[in-house]
Structure formats: C-alpha cells, structure tokens
Amino acid sequence: MPTRNIPVIAVTGSAGKTTTKEMIASILRGRWTIFKSPSNWNLPPNTRKHAKQLRAGHRAAVLEFGMLRKGHIREHCRLLKPSYGVITNVGTAHIGNVGHRVQGIASAKSELIRHMRKTGTLVLNADNANSRLLSVKGFQGRLLKVGIRNKAHYKARGIRFLGRGVAFRVRLNGKEERYSVSRGS
C-alpha cells in the first residue's frame, strides 16, 4: 500500500476541516505531488475510495476525517492510518449523535489520537477551550499546539486577509517565516 511510505495527514474537528485541509494542501503542493481529498467528502466510505486513489507518485496525502457519530474516525484510521493528526476544534456539530454533550464530541474526536500512528505528530488548537477535553493520555508521539492568542508551540502573527486568501507569519526555528494561502490553489 503506498501510504506506508508517505505522510498521511488527517484533519478533523467540529468546524474548519475543509479550510485547514486546503491550507495544508496548498503549502505542501508547492513542493510535492500530493493527494488531497476533494471538497468535503469526509465520511468513511469516501476515505475507502480515497485510499484506492493513492498512487506511488504521491509524496503525501491530506484528508478530512468527518464524523457523524462515535466510531467514524476510528474507521477512517483503519482505512488510512495517519502519521499526522490535526484537530481544529471541539464544538457542538453532531452533538445529538453523541449523547448531547460536548464531552461526547471530544471523545469521538479523540479516536484520531488513539488510532493514528503512535509515534506520529498531533496538532491541537490552543485557543479552543473544549480541546482540553480531548484524551491525549497514552499518546506517545509529538504533541504540538497552534494558535493566535494562547500559549502555543506555533502562533500565527500578522494575519492579513487578501482578496482570495490569507497571509500570516510564524516563527520557525528562531526565524520568522511568511506564508500565504490562496483559495482555489
């Protein structure tokens, strides 16, 4: 299977999955040939199809892992085991399917943490209070927090909205790096 040798980046969250996936894909596409799940096709049957579309020429795969109920994200991970997991936030989308509690959403989103590669990299939103409900216990990989306001490993600064995208700066390895992401890239 081609995914054994390439990074698989899975993005989940109550909101912002498609935008985050598109931003990651836009950045990676500048250097590599990648596979990106189309639009917001993000339920397990879609991931099954995406797994079949991966080719040897792909250097990375960037996918959305959506969920309507508990078990969906675990199923995504069974189909394509992520080496990188991004949880954009924990909100109330589909809360009625997980016991009508935000803790149920956090538990369902935590399936990504439990079922991704144990030595992978997990990225969480430092600015989303409900992200503290995610279960990182037992995760042996690298945990990174990103944000704008709260303490984080990486903070976006100087955010500017452009006509068809956004530009921002991030401090990486002691140096300020500039990024821009355009819609439709």
Side-chain angles (χ1 to χ4, degrees):
M1 173 182 271
T3 61
R4 292 178 192 246
N5 300 321
I6 67 169
V8 173
I9 302 151
V11 180
T12 194
S14 296
K17 292 180 293 297
T18 303
T19 300
T20 302
K21 176 200 66 179
E22 293 294 335
M23 289 175 67
I24 293 168
S26 176
I27 292 167
L28 293 178
R29 192 180 300 115
R31 302 188 105 177
W32 295 342
T33 299
I34 65 162
F35 176 84
K36 173 186 66 114
S37 56
S39 188
N40 62 345
W41 297 359
N42 62 19
L43 292 177
N46 303 118
T47 298
R48 185 174 291 107
K49 291 175 187 172
H50 302 327
K52 294 175 183 174
Q53 294 171 328
L54 288 171
R55 300 292 175 252
H58 290 125
R59 298 275 314 273
V62 186
L63 305 118
E64 281 184 53
F65 281 11
M67 56 136 298
L68 294 176
R69 62 184 159 278
K70 211 166 167 86
H72 272 178
I73 295 178
R74 181 182 62 235
E75 178 67 10
H76 286 292
C77 292
R78 187 185 67 72
L79 296 164
L80 283 171
K81 197 167 203 72
S83 40
Y84 293 86
V86 178
I87 302 177
T88 61
N89 53 45
V90 175
T92 56
H94 311 298
I95 200 165
N97 298 337
V98 292
H100 300 281
R101 300 184 66 210
V102 74
Q103 290 87 346
I105 297 290
S107 176
K109 298 297 181 190
S110 293
E111 291 175 4
L112 177 61
I113 301 166
R114 287 192 305 279
H115 299 287
M116 65 183 283
R117 292 182 187 167
K118 297 294 179 207
T119 56
T121 299
L122 175 64
V123 180
L124 300 179
N125 181 341
D127 295 334
N128 176 242
N130 290 335
S131 288
R132 289 183 290 229
L133 300 171
L134 294 165
S135 176
V136 296
K137 186 179 179 183
F139 181 69
Q140 299 166 8
R142 187 172 179 207
L143 173 60
L144 298 174
K145 292 187 179 180
V146 297
I148 298 168
R149 293 177 300 283
N150 293 332
K151 183 179 177 185
H153 295 91
Y154 300 101
K155 291 179 85 167
R157 304 178 200 290
I159 300 167
R160 292 181 301 124
F161 295 95
L162 310 171
R164 294 188 48 83
V166 65
F168 56 94
R169 299 184 320 269
V170 176
R171 182 169 287 292
L172 299 172
N173 300 320
K175 184 179 174 193
E176 193 91 351
E177 299 286 346
R178 295 181 185 279
Y179 292 93
S180 63
V181 181
S182 299
R183 189 174 35 170
S185 317

